[in-house]
Amino acid sequence: MGTYGYISIIAMLCYGFLLLMFLTAKKNKIINSFLVVLTGLLFWTGGSAFMRAQFWPGCEFWYQVSLLGILLLPYAYYRFILAFGGVRNGSTGRIYLVIMLICFWVNAQFGAFLEAPEMVEKRGVQSFVYEIKPSIIAFFIPAGFFLIHLFVILIRICKENPTMKVQYEPVMMGVLVLFLGNAFLGIPFFSGFPIDILSGVVNVFLLFYALIRRRLFRLQMLASPSLCYGVGLLFSIFVFLNIMPFLQKILHMQPDKNITMYTLVFAIVFLITYAIFTYLWKLLIRSVFVKEENHQAEKLREFNSAISKTLDLQEILDRTIRVMKELMDVGNIYICMQKAPGETYCGVASDQPLNDLAFSLEEENPMIQWLKDHEEPLVYRDFRYSVEYKSMWEEEKHHLDKKHTRYCAGLKDGDTLAGVILITADSGKKRLVYDEVELISNITSVASIAIKNARMYEKACIEARTDEMTGLLNRKYFHEVLYEEFEKNKDASLALAIINVDDFKLYNQLYGLKEGDLCLQRIAKIIQSSVGENGYAARYGGKEYAVLLPGYDLFSARNLVESIEKQISVMNNRRTDMKLKAITVSAGISAAPYAAKNVKELLENVDLAVYHVKHSGKNGIQVFDTMFRNANKNIVSTNRAHIYQEYESTIYALTAAIDAKDHYTFSHSTNVAYYATALATALGMNEDMVEIIRQAALLHDVGKIGIPEYVLNKAGKLTDDEYETIKGHVEASIDIIRHLPSLDYVIPAVIGHHERYDGKGYPRRIAGEDIPLTARILCVADSFDAMTSKRCYKKAFSLSVAREKLLQDAGKQFDPDLVYKFVECLDNGTITLVKAEEI
């Protein structure tokens, strides 16, 4: 075959290898057109190789096959280039095809343009030499014009889409190499050397590179079974043809004499060769490609499984960065997220904790707009040739170039671009691995779904936690936060304030519900901006707001609430469209652990503080704490006697009604009032709380007015039904008091005075510190007076017996701390026994 014959064989094997590879690929217009190019190249190189090998039916036949492949190649390239650029085929290609077929027929019949080469032998080496005639220009002129037409099309495509310029570079280079290789056949220096075949090999690999660059082909397809068998067959034929002469010499066989043995031996050798090459190819592919693909697939499965189990956005971002670092050879990875549409994309995560995240990408950035319009990741090197890149600010370009940006991928939430991933390369790494683009696309598509779910969950959580009108925390979630912060601040101060808008019903009547809603929103904005990151603000009721301030003492909390109150009072002065009445508020403040041992007491104390402001003229701030109030007497301008003076007549009327019904009940209520107020004073409670407890004690049995006298004065043991009737006096008391809005603040004490500390009391069966403190005080005082008083069904217990029974039931019926304090007061004479004759 000669030395140069192997060039044709190698080229044919390369084309056959690529043809088998692309036959297993997913077909599209570009891949199909590339298969046509490979077919033309196979005709060309295969005809040349078989011609040089002098295979049957002869050199002339294989020469014509090779020439047909050459003449058809420009048309095949024409189809490929148009498909590569997304342009429809035109009539020019068909005209050229007809001209070339006519020229080929004329040349095959008469040898008018290029005759078959002549085989010559130089120094024992055979080679083929073409006799170049001037008439060969008949081939080159149409081909030249056609190539010029192709370049015009390429220029037009690149102008319309500048990014295609980079994609077409290897294609244009390949066509140019192929054209020059055929043109050099006319140069004497290349006489006998298959420069055209060699240029074809270079050309096809440039086209192959262009397809990889466009991500139209995956190298993993090398592992397909059909390709393995096809490659084994090609290499086996090549090797078998070369070892056949040596086998003939070694075995001393002549095909015409030992035909049966000759056929058997060579068939066995061919099969063994084929099996060896097929196995080696499979082994190579499994080691290089399949192993890597399986590793990637396993990592992607782990990533998909992990982020599908979490709704934490930060964990999703961290896992996305981690899997990219594991599967790709890149530099740093940054993720920028957009909180809301129209806002900037700010850095939120990176692969290195010390990386600078203080950068952002504006929504109007052309690169962001490109990612919104495309599903695939952006290759930054290609993007630099686009119109979008040229329209970017120089500062933006410099920032991306400085980071050595390699890829940029979008994290999409439906049609919205929720985030952007910037992937950089080390300054020395310039090579792009185009399979990485598909890997990035797979990772970001999975991450985008997880981010969408996490954001939906986050949105649902926010909606469940916030008030729709004001944007503040709602009451339910505020209670959760209150309990959490109470536990966190057990060793520190925790201040709570409730701000109630005065006369808001009148405001709605004056200006309408819409203006009323705007008023509530403006107040919420003032409170939120004043509290900031220092605490929590909530809409606690229709016209009531709560402010929780961890770490604040009473002085600091009061100063903050005063600032809020002043801003609210003047907020309507800023209205220019209409004159509105000034808004005032009634605010109460308390703090743990100074004035409350638990959350329930803290809330009750603040509610009481607000209540006292409301009933002392509104538009004020009340602090529920004795120490603070004693140290700031000048601040407190309210006359306490005046606060309760208006309620005395109502209380007197109700107690008189009790006395008329049952004198014992009246005496008992008076005694309980004495014991309860004495205990409250001993506990250090302020005068407001002492007065509330006194009133609650006087009214705690007012419901007994409705109980029949024979039940109240029965000397024997009560039946179950009669006992249930007696127990109903608690609800009856509440039914009476709730119709007196000026006295509703005593309800917590009255409704809970028969509850037990162990939870076995009535009517609600609550236990421990869930029972209001005022009710627990009444429980001790009520039980002590019941034990030391004479009744129709029992004798009075002595002081010592009553004292002992209190201690026995401490922690069961009674709050142990209150019992010990009450007994201590009995022992030191602070509380004395009320005798019957003193009533």
Side-chain angles (χ1 to χ4, degrees):
M1 184 183 293
T3 303
Y4 298 145
Y6 286 101
I7 295 178
S8 299
I9 294 292
I10 293 171
M12 183 184 67
L13 290 175
C14 289
Y15 298 147
F17 172 73
L18 290 174
L19 185 65
L20 289 171
M21 188 187 305
F22 277 88
L23 284 173
T24 64
K26 184 178 180 180
K27 302 299 187 296
N28 56 42
K29 192 174 181 181
I30 300 177
I31 297 298
N32 289 335
S33 62
F34 186 64
L35 288 173
V36 174
V37 172
L38 289 175
T39 303
L41 291 170
L42 268 177
F43 269 56
W44 174 22
T45 55
S48 176
F50 292 152
M51 179 189 70
R52 295 175 187 277
Q54 302 181 40
F55 281 0
W56 180 88
C59 297
E60 178 73 20
F61 173 80
W62 293 116
Y63 161 73
Q64 298 297 343
V65 171
S66 177
L67 181 62
L68 178 62
I70 292 174
L71 296 178
L72 291 179
L73 272 179
Y75 175 71
Y77 275 97
Y78 173 78
R79 287 189 55 182
F80 175 76
I81 289 172
L82 293 186
F84 196 81
V87 181
R88 296 181 62 183
N89 291 335
S91 59
T92 308
R94 289 189 288 272
I95 293 172
Y96 171 80
L97 180 62
V98 171
I99 293 173
M100 286 295 103
L101 288 175
I102 293 173
C103 290
F104 171 75
W105 183 82
V106 171
N107 188 74
Q109 293 296 322
F110 308 107
F113 308 119
L114 183 65
E115 293 182 353
E118 180 184 353
M119 186 177 67
V120 297
E121 185 173 341
K122 294 181 180 179
R123 299 176 184 179
V125 177
Q126 294 179 346
S127 61
F128 288 85
V129 178
Y130 289 89
E131 183 183 355
I132 305 301
K133 301 178 181 178
S135 57
I136 198 174
I137 198 171
F139 285 151
F140 282 99
I141 288 178
F145 278 112
F146 192 58
L147 289 176
I148 292 172
H149 176 67
L150 273 180
F151 276 103
V152 170
I153 293 174
L154 283 173
I155 293 171
R156 188 178 74 245
I157 293 174
C158 293
K159 281 185 177 180
E160 293 175 355
N161 186 1
T163 57
M164 290 301 298
K165 179 181 178 182
V166 181
Q167 306 293 343
Y168 267 123
E169 284 178 353
V171 177
M172 292 187 288
M173 185 68 69
V175 174
L176 182 62
V177 167
L178 184 64
F179 181 76
L180 292 176
N182 283 273
F184 287 165
L185 286 174
I187 300 176
F189 178 78
F190 293 103
S191 178
F193 182 78
I195 184 66
D196 54 339
I197 303 293
L198 190 60
S199 66
V201 174
V202 175
N203 158 73
V204 81
F205 278 103
L206 285 171
L207 298 186
F208 180 62
Y209 171 70
L211 292 176
I212 296 177
R213 193 169 185 171
R214 276 286 298 275
R215 301 179 294 281
L216 297 168
F217 172 69
R218 295 182 63 212
L219 290 177
Q220 280 80 356
M221 289 187 300
L222 293 169
S224 67
S226 59
L227 182 61
C228 292
Y229 297 133
V231 169
L233 180 63
L234 286 175
F235 278 96
S236 298
I237 292 173
F238 175 71
V239 172
F240 183 75
L241 291 175
N242 282 274
I243 66 173
M244 186 169 58
F246 298 101
L247 287 175
Q248 290 177 354
K249 291 180 181 179
I250 293 172
L251 298 176
H252 304 290
M253 289 185 180
Q254 297 297 326
D256 54 343
K257 295 180 180 180
N258 310 96
I259 184 65
T260 304
M261 184 62 65
Y262 180 87
T263 305
L264 179 62
V265 169
F266 281 90
I268 293 173
V269 172
F270 179 80
L271 289 175
I272 293 173
T273 306
Y274 175 68
I276 291 173
F277 274 104
T278 303
Y279 172 76
L280 291 175
W281 180 259
K282 285 184 178 180
L283 185 64
L284 174 67
I285 295 305
R286 286 172 184 169
S287 301
V288 177
F289 295 105
V290 176
K291 185 177 180 180
E292 177 65 21
E293 185 178 12
N294 291 340
H295 173 70
Q296 288 186 1
E298 180 62 27
K299 286 295 181 181
L300 288 175
R301 279 194 296 269
E302 292 176 2
F303 169 68
N304 193 4
S305 175
I307 67 171
S308 65
K309 296 176 182 177
T310 181
L311 291 172
D312 183 83
L313 181 59
Q314 192 60 47
E315 183 179 353
I316 292 171
L317 299 181
D318 292 340
R319 287 186 177 276
T320 301
I321 291 173
R322 197 181 312 153
V323 74
M324 285 185 172
K325 291 291 287 186
E326 289 177 355
L327 297 180
M328 298 167 58
D329 182 21
V330 294
N332 294 322
I333 300 176
Y334 302 87
I335 298 183
C336 303
M337 297 292 291
Q338 186 183 44
K339 291 184 178 180
E343 294 188 7
T344 302
Y345 293 84
C346 299
V348 294
S350 177
D351 61 314
Q352 297 294 332
L354 297 180
N355 282 346
D356 180 21
L357 293 176
F359 70 92
S360 60
L361 296 169
E362 298 295 332
E363 191 176 39
E364 296 78 16
N365 188 307
M367 187 171 72
I368 298 296
Q369 298 301 317
W370 190 96
L371 290 173
K372 285 183 178 180
D373 297 335
H374 297 79
E375 295 297 327
E376 69 271 14
L378 177 151
V379 179
Y380 187 71
R381 190 181 73 178
D382 297 342
F383 181 70
R384 289 172 62 92
Y385 297 93
S386 67
V387 174
E388 289 88 350
Y389 178 82
K390 295 176 182 177
S391 64
M392 291 171 63
W393 296 105
E394 289 301 322
E395 183 179 353
E396 293 173 331
K397 296 178 184 178
H398 175 72
H399 185 76
L400 293 170
D401 292 342
K402 184 179 179 181
K403 287 186 177 295
H404 306 291
T405 304
R406 188 172 183 178
Y407 304 112
C408 187
L411 296 169
K412 292 196 171 183
D413 182 357
D415 295 330
T416 304
L417 186 66
V420 176
I421 301 180
L422 290 177
I423 304 173
T424 70
D426 294 337
S427 57
K429 295 180 180 179
K430 301 296 183 183
R431 184 178 62 88
L432 294 179
V433 180
Y434 284 94
D435 268 3
E436 290 180 344
V437 178
E438 184 173 357
L439 180 62
I440 294 170
S441 183
N442 291 335
I443 293 173
T444 53
S445 62
V446 174
S448 295
I449 296 172
I451 289 172
K452 180 179 180 180
N453 293 336
R455 286 200 156 185
M456 290 174 63
Y457 173 74
E458 183 180 2
K459 182 180 179 182
C461 288
I462 291 173
E463 290 176 351
R465 294 173 177 178
T466 57
D467 174 64
E468 184 178 1
M469 180 188 295
T470 62
L472 301 181
L473 302 181
N474 58 28
R475 184 187 182 102
K476 180 181 177 182
Y477 184 62
F478 181 76
H479 273 281
E480 295 180 16
V481 173
L482 177 57
Y483 278 93
E484 290 177 4
E485 290 298 327
F486 193 89
E487 291 298 319
K488 291 179 184 177
N489 293 274
K490 281 188 173 180
D491 299 327
S493 176
L494 179 68
L496 174 65
I498 290 181
I499 302 169
N500 191 293
V501 182
D502 296 330
D503 303 317
F504 190 67
K505 185 175 182 180
L506 174 62
Y507 192 92
N508 279 330
Q509 291 172 344
L510 290 173
Y511 308 115
L513 294 177
K514 183 177 181 181
E515 184 59 41
D517 291 345
L518 292 175
C519 176
L520 292 176
Q521 292 170 2
R522 290 194 293 270
I523 293 174
K525 189 174 181 181
I526 290 172
I527 294 174
Q528 183 64 70
S529 61
S530 298
V531 174
E533 300 295 327
N534 299 317
Y536 306 88
R539 188 182 182 194
Y540 200 64
K543 58 166 186 166
E544 202 167 43
Y545 301 88
V547 176
L548 185 64
L549 301 167
Y552 271 58
D553 57 23
L554 288 168
F555 294 93
S556 302
R558 184 183 180 94
N559 290 336
L560 178 63
V561 175
E562 285 178 347
S563 172
I564 292 171
E565 185 267 337
K566 290 176 182 177
Q567 293 179 66
I568 292 173
S569 66
V570 300
M571 73 176 187
N572 281 345
N573 296 345
R574 301 168 188 167
R575 293 289 296 269
T576 58
D577 52 344
M578 60 186 299
K579 181 66 176 176
L580 301 175
K581 72 184 291 289
I583 297 294
T584 62
V585 295
S586 298
I589 305 170
S590 187
Y594 313 118
K597 294 186 296 183
N598 56 53
V599 172
K600 192 171 183 64
E601 284 187 23
L602 185 63
L603 287 168
E604 289 175 354
N605 294 346
V606 177
D607 281 333
L608 283 170
V610 174
Y611 182 84
H612 291 313
V613 176
K614 286 287 188 182
H615 288 79
S616 60
K618 304 177 184 177
N619 189 22
I621 300 171
Q622 177 73 46
V623 176
F624 189 96
D625 185 77
T626 304
M627 293 174 58
F628 179 87
R629 283 148 50 82
N630 290 340
N632 297 273
K633 290 181 180 179
N634 295 331
I635 299 175
V636 182
S637 59
T638 305
N639 184 343
R640 187 168 296 102
H642 165 71
I643 297 174
Y644 301 103
Q645 187 176 4
E646 60 181 290
Y647 316 142
E648 288 297 332
S649 59
T650 304
I651 295 171
Y652 179 78
L654 289 172
T655 54
I658 296 171
D659 189 30
K661 173 76 174 183
D662 179 36
H663 183 68
Y664 167 77
T665 301
F666 172 76
S667 300
H668 170 68
S669 298
T670 306
N671 293 348
V672 172
Y674 163 69
Y675 292 132
T677 53
L679 177 57
T681 303
L683 290 170
M685 301 181 76
N686 60 52
E687 296 177 31
D688 286 333
M689 283 301 297
V690 172
E691 179 61 25
I692 291 170
I693 290 171
R694 185 185 74 84
Q695 295 177 13
L698 291 173
L699 298 173
H700 78 285
D701 278 343
V702 70
K704 288 184 178 180
I705 292 175
I707 295 176
E709 292 183 17
Y710 78 90
V711 176
L712 289 174
N713 299 316
K714 185 176 180 180
K717 184 179 179 181
L718 297 175
T719 64
D720 290 343
D721 290 341
E722 290 170 342
Y723 182 62
E724 290 298 322
T725 302
I726 287 290
K727 288 168 61 178
H729 82 279
V730 176
E731 286 88 349
S733 298
I734 301 306
D735 286 340
I736 294 171
I737 297 171
R738 70 185 180 85
H739 291 294
L740 303 168
S742 59
L743 291 172
D744 57 3
Y745 54 88
V746 303
I747 289 177
V750 173
I751 198 173
H753 77 278
H754 276 296
E755 300 288 356
R756 289 173 56 98
Y757 200 76
D758 58 10
K760 297 178 181 179
Y762 65 89
R764 294 179 293 169
R765 301 184 70 83
I766 56 178
E769 293 183 352
D770 286 339
I771 306 169
L773 176 60
T774 54
R776 282 179 273 148
I777 291 174
L778 282 189
C779 181
V780 174
D782 180 59
S783 299
F784 179 76
D785 185 69
M787 287 188 287
T788 56
S789 298
K790 180 182 178 181
R791 289 293 285 135
C792 58
Y793 55 84
K794 78 171 190 67
K795 294 180 180 180
F797 292 164
S798 65
L799 176 62
S800 59
V801 173
R803 178 184 182 280
E804 189 63 30
K805 283 187 173 293
L806 285 176
L807 291 173
Q808 286 177 359
D809 284 337
K812 299 177 182 178
Q813 182 177 354
F814 311 116
D815 184 333
D817 294 336
L818 298 182
V819 167
Y820 299 146
K821 191 65 177 179
F822 190 83
V823 169
E824 179 186 333
C825 292
L826 287 174
D827 293 343
N828 62 27
T830 304
I831 298 176
T832 59
L833 182 65
V834 178
K835 297 187 180 297
E837 59 268 23
E838 296 177 358
I839 299 174

